[in-house]
Amino acid sequence: MLDVKRLRLLRELHIRGTLADVALALQYSPSAVSQQLALLEKEAGVKLLRKVGRRVQLTPQAEILVAHTAEILETLERAEADMSASLTTVAGTVKLAVFQSAALALLPEMLTAMAQDYPEVRIEMVQREPETALYETWARDFDLVVAEQYPGHAAPRHPELDRVVLTTDAIRLAVPAPGVAGGMANLRTEPITDVADTAALPWVMEPRGAASRHWAEQACRQAGFEPDVRFETADLQAQIRLIESGNAVGLMPDLMWKGRPPALTLIDLPGLPRRTVFTSARRASRRRPAILACREILARTALQIPESPVGA
């Protein structure tokens, strides 16, 4: 009989690529991972790993086991979800991954409501970029993820994950408020009315690879220019400070203004584009009561967000 825990280690190696990464993800030592996989080879009676330089590579027989292991883990996860659903108390730990603007806008009220309505559910939250968080939820690092999708820019799809829309928010051009003298004071004296007016101005954007960065660059190119991206940061609050102080312009989603009136000018974009915020969980575990409770409270919290920011 093949050991399920060792099969999971083999699948983790398939996903993560190295013994060291498997050990780090599962809080084992690399030698312990190696020993367990050696025992799995003995149980299977076939070679599962081969050395390629300093790394190990899965054999075709190991790939077969990995495919079956995914099915086994899904079955076990569904069994656990069904068992939890049969209980009268909603309890357990939910590991939640969320990106920054959703964390700022949704998490404080959501955590308060969860503590009141479902006191036996423990929420463990980590901030992650959506693309990474979706992959890590598929890999079973997280139970639930709050992710985003920009118009015309599809977020990664993983077959084992579902997708439930939580809310949408407008994306607007953010520029310094009138009269703010900053680093851009000598670059443009006329009012900014659209993206094209920012062609000669410094921009702040997220680092390359982020969906928001790609979308912002495309918006500038459609307006007829290549943006002068002088400032890169994944911290949207830092982006806001650069814009408020008159040192940059940028594109901002409305969720950033939840509980914080903007001290800058927001300009609607052509077509009034909106970002979609959604949750994803593995289909095998989505019926777990604690996950259902988190989604319920997140949806309730999202409904309370104003349609447009004060001062827009």
Side-chain angles (χ1 to χ4, degrees):
M1 182 71 68
L2 299 176
D3 185 277
V4 174
K5 290 183 179 179
R6 291 172 188 147
L7 285 170
R8 186 191 173 197
L9 286 177
L10 186 67
R11 180 178 182 271
E12 290 290 333
L13 182 58
H14 171 75
I15 292 171
R16 302 182 193 278
T18 70
L19 294 172
D21 287 339
V22 173
L24 183 63
L26 301 184
Q27 299 181 332
Y28 289 177
S29 68
S31 62
V33 173
S34 182
Q35 289 169 8
Q36 290 299 307
L37 290 174
L39 289 172
L40 181 62
E41 281 192 332
K42 289 183 179 179
E43 290 174 351
V46 296
K47 193 74 173 172
L48 298 177
L49 304 175
R50 57 171 173 249
K51 277 254 186 184
V52 179
R54 294 187 175 183
R55 299 167 67 95
V56 293
Q57 190 176 76
L58 273 65
T59 65
Q61 291 71 35
E63 298 283 357
I64 292 171
L65 279 182
V66 165
H68 284 287
T69 299
E71 295 176 11
I72 291 167
L73 293 177
E74 281 189 52
T75 299
L76 290 173
E77 202 164 21
R78 281 195 298 270
E80 290 173 355
D82 289 345
M83 183 178 64
S84 296
S86 72
L87 302 175
T88 57
T89 301
V90 179
T93 297
V94 176
K95 294 182 178 180
L96 173 66
V98 60
F99 62 97
Q100 187 187 32
S101 57
L104 293 170
L106 300 173
L107 263 292
E109 289 85 352
M110 178 262 196
L111 292 173
T112 299
M114 284 294 298
Q116 293 172 347
D117 295 358
Y118 302 101
E120 295 189 49
V121 175
R122 173 186 171 91
I123 307 293
E124 296 179 356
M125 187 275 285
V126 176
Q127 184 178 314
R128 283 283 195 279
E129 290 303 307
E131 292 85 354
T132 302
L134 287 165
Y135 178 83
E136 291 177 337
T137 302
W138 169 77
R140 290 179 165 77
D141 291 343
F142 298 104
D143 301 306
L144 183 66
V145 56
V146 180
E148 64 181 353
Q149 180 165 309
Y150 276 75
H153 189 285
R157 289 275 185 178
H158 298 282
E160 291 180 29
L161 301 185
D162 69 1
R163 185 170 294 198
V164 177
V165 173
L166 192 59
T167 188
T168 66
D169 63 342
I171 309 163
R172 307 174 199 261
L173 174 63
V175 303
V180 173
M184 300 191 304
N186 298 323
L187 297 177
R188 184 180 176 89
T189 56
E190 298 175 3
I192 299 171
T193 60
D194 56 29
V195 175
D197 291 339
T198 68
L201 301 179
W203 276 73
V204 59
M205 295 185 184
E206 292 198 46
R208 292 188 182 279
S212 61
R213 170 66 175 265
H214 179 263
W215 196 86
E217 288 176 335
Q218 291 300 310
C220 292
R221 289 165 187 162
Q222 289 169 7
F225 68 95
E226 191 68 25
D228 178 10
V229 184
R230 298 191 196 178
F231 313 109
E232 286 190 4
T233 174
D235 186 341
L236 296 189
Q237 295 190 93
Q239 291 191 23
I240 289 170
R241 291 297 299 125
L242 287 169
I243 298 168
E244 287 176 338
S245 61
N247 288 291
V249 298
L251 297 180
M252 283 289 151
D254 276 1
L255 273 188
M256 288 305 298
W257 316 119
K258 172 73 163 55
R260 180 190 190 281
L264 43 71
T265 298
L266 295 170
I267 300 169
D268 287 339
L269 298 175
L272 304 176
R274 299 182 72 84
R275 176 183 65 165
T276 300
V277 179
F278 62 91
T279 62
S280 280
R282 289 183 299 283
R283 297 180 191 278
S285 63
R286 63 184 174 182
R287 290 184 63 251
R288 185 153 66 90
I291 293 176
L292 291 172
C294 285
R295 282 180 145 169
E296 171 204 331
I297 298 297
L298 279 168
R300 188 196 310 171
T301 304
L303 285 174
Q304 298 169 1
I305 298 174
E307 178 63 22
S308 60
V310 177

